[in-house]
C-alpha cells in the first residue's frame, strides 16, 4: 500500500474524463482507490461510483490546488497523482505554419502537456510527501521517436520536456515520493489536437486507417487500448514498484528496436 496508510488509497487523475485517463480512473477505482478527477469537461459516460469530478483547467495553479484540496478534504489525504491531461499538435512541422502561429501552437501544447504537469505536481507535493506517495505521468512515444509517429515539432518538444520534468521531480522528491511515467505508443484514444487559441480537433479521425499505420510502424504489430495500459499506472503507484523512481515504461510495440 502506498504510504503504508490504512484504508483505501486516494488518487487524483488529471484528464481522467476520457481516453487513457478514464481507463486509469476505472482501473484504480476497481482496485479500491478513492479517485478524484480534474478535467475541463464532463465525461460522456458517468465516472465510477464514488469518483469526484473537479471541473477545471490544468494550466491553472488554482484549479490544480482545488482538485488536491478536494481529495484531501474528502478522503483525508492523497497517495497518488496521475498527471495525464494532454493535447496534440496535429503533426505540424517546423515549416508548416508562419512563425507566429507556430509559436502560439507550441505555447499551448507546452502549457497543457508540461506546465500542467508541473502545476499538478506542485499542488500535490505536500500531501504526497506526508503519505510517502507516488506520481505517475503520461508521456508518449514522441518522448523518444520524432518521425513517423504523427508527432509535430511542438508535441515532440513537450513530450521530451516532460521526461526531464519526471526525472527532476524524482530527484527532488526522493526518498519520500516516487515519480515515474508511462510512454505509450500506438494507442487509439480521444486525444485532440490544438487548433487556434482554444479550439481542438480529433487526432484519430480514421481509426481503421490509423490502426493499420500503427501496426506497420511497430515491431510487435500491435494497437493497444487504454484499458491495456491502465494496470501499468497502478503498478507504478503501488509498493510493488517501491524500488523505482525516475523510470519510464514504454508500452509502444517495441519502437526502440524498430
Amino acid at each position: 500500500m502506498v504510504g503504508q496508510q490504512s484504508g483505501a488509497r486516494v488518487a487524483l487523475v488529471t484528464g481522467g474524463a476520457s481516453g487513457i485517463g478514464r481507463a486509469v480512473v476505472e482501473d484504480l477505482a476497481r482496485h479500491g482507490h478513492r479517485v478524484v478527477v480534474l478535467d475541463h469537461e464532463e465525461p460522456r459516460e458517468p465516472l465510477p461510483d464514488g469518483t469526484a469530478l473537479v471541473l477545471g483547467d490544468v494550466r491553472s495553479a488554482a484549479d490544480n490546488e482545488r482538485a488536491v484540496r478536494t481529495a484531501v478534504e474528502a478522503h483525508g489525504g492523497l497517495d497518488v497523482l496521475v498527471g495525464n491531461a494532454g493535447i496534440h499538435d496535429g503533426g505540424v512541422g517546423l515549416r508548416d505554419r508562419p512563425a507566429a502561429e507556430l509559436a502560439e501552437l507550441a505555447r499551448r501544447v507546452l502549457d497543457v502537456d508540461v506546465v500542467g504537469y508541473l502545476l499538478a505536481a506542485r499542488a500535490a507535493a505536500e500531501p504526497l510527501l506526508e503519505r510517502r506517495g507516488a506520481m505517475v505521468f503520461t508521456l508518449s512515444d514522441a518522448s523518444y521517436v520524432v518521425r513517423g509517429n504523427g508527432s509535430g515539432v511542438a508535441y515532440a518538444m513537450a513530450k521530451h520536456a516532460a521526461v526531464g520534468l519526471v526525472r527532476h521531480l524524482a530527484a527532488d522528491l526522493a526518498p519520500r515520493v516516487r515519480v515515474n511515467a508511462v510512454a505509450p505508443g500506438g494507442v487509439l484514444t480521444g486525444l485532440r489536437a490544438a487548433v487556434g487559441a482554444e479550439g481542438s480537433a480529433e487526432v484519430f479521425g480514421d481509426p481503421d486507417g490509423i490502426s493499420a499505420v500503427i501496426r506497420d510502424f511497430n515491431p510487435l504489430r500491435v494497437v493497444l487500448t487504454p484499458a491495456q495500459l491502465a494496470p501499468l499506472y497502478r503498478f507504478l503507484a503501488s509498493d510493488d514498484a517501491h524500488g523505482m523512481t525516475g523510470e519510464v515504461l514504454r508500452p509502444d510495440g517495441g519502437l526502440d528496436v524498430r
Side-chain angles (χ1 to χ4, degrees), residues 94-140:
L94 179 67
R95 293 169 290 174
D96 292 342
R97 301 281 174 83
E101 291 183 19
L102 186 63
E104 180 183 28
L105 174 64
R107 290 190 187 99
R108 185 172 173 201
V109 173
L110 288 163
D111 275 351
V112 175
D113 294 8
V114 184
V115 178
Y117 283 2
L118 176 65
L119 293 176
R122 181 64 185 87
E126 295 306 322
L128 289 177
L129 284 164
E130 289 178 8
R131 291 172 67 148
R132 303 187 73 91
M135 297 182 182
V136 186
F137 292 94
T138 299
L139 301 182
S140 167

Side-chain angles (χ1 to χ4, degrees), residues 8-249:
R9 287 173 286 178
V10 182
L12 168 62
V13 182
T14 71
S18 61
I20 293 173
R22 174 60 184 256
V24 171
V25 168
E26 292 178 349
D27 183 82
L28 290 175
R30 188 163 56 248
H31 287 85
H33 292 68
R34 305 285 180 85
V35 185
V36 175
V37 170
L38 172 61
D39 207 296
H40 72 288
E41 62 184 4
E42 296 273 357
R44 293 183 178 179
E45 299 292 334
L47 292 168
D49 290 345
T51 300
L53 174 65
V54 177
L55 290 174
D57 189 335
V58 295
R59 298 171 294 182
S60 162
D63 287 352
N64 280 283
E65 291 163 2
R66 182 161 51 90
V68 170
R69 190 164 58 248
T70 297
V72 172
E73 292 178 353
H75 304 301
L78 184 66
D79 300 291
V80 180
L81 167 67
V82 177
N84 169 78
I87 195 164
H88 203 266
D89 64 2
V92 173
L94 179 67
R95 293 169 290 174
D96 292 342
R97 301 281 174 83
E101 291 183 19
L102 186 63
E104 180 183 28
L105 174 64
R107 290 190 187 99
R108 185 172 173 201
V109 173
L110 288 163
D111 275 351
V112 175
D113 294 8
V114 184
V115 178
Y117 283 2
L118 176 65
L119 293 176
R122 181 64 185 87
E126 295 306 322
L128 289 177
L129 284 164
E130 289 178 8
R131 291 172 67 148
R132 303 187 73 91
M135 297 182 182
V136 186
F137 292 94
T138 299
L139 301 182
S140 167
D141 58 354
S143 298
Y144 301 94
V145 180
V146 297
R147 294 184 66 84
N149 60 350
S151 169
V153 62
Y155 193 66
M157 284 169 54
K159 290 304 180 180
H160 276 69
V163 174
L165 176 62
V166 167
R167 291 176 59 80
H168 184 92
L169 293 175
D172 192 3
L173 298 174
R176 297 187 65 82
V177 175
R178 295 180 301 100
V179 184
N180 295 290
V182 180
V187 184
L188 295 181
T189 70
L191 183 64
R192 300 185 68 81
V195 177
E198 291 294 333
S200 65
E202 288 186 9
V203 173
F204 302 118
D206 176 17
D208 291 339
I210 292 175
S211 293
V213 171
I214 291 170
R215 288 193 177 93
D216 287 341
F217 191 60
N218 72 72
L220 290 181
R221 302 291 188 261
V222 296
V223 179
L224 299 171
T225 67
Q228 289 171 317
L229 301 177
L232 298 178
Y233 290 78
R234 177 165 42 86
F235 164 70
L236 289 174
S238 76
D239 277 353
D240 289 337
H242 70 276
M244 297 175 62
T245 198
E247 299 292 340
V248 181
L249 300 184

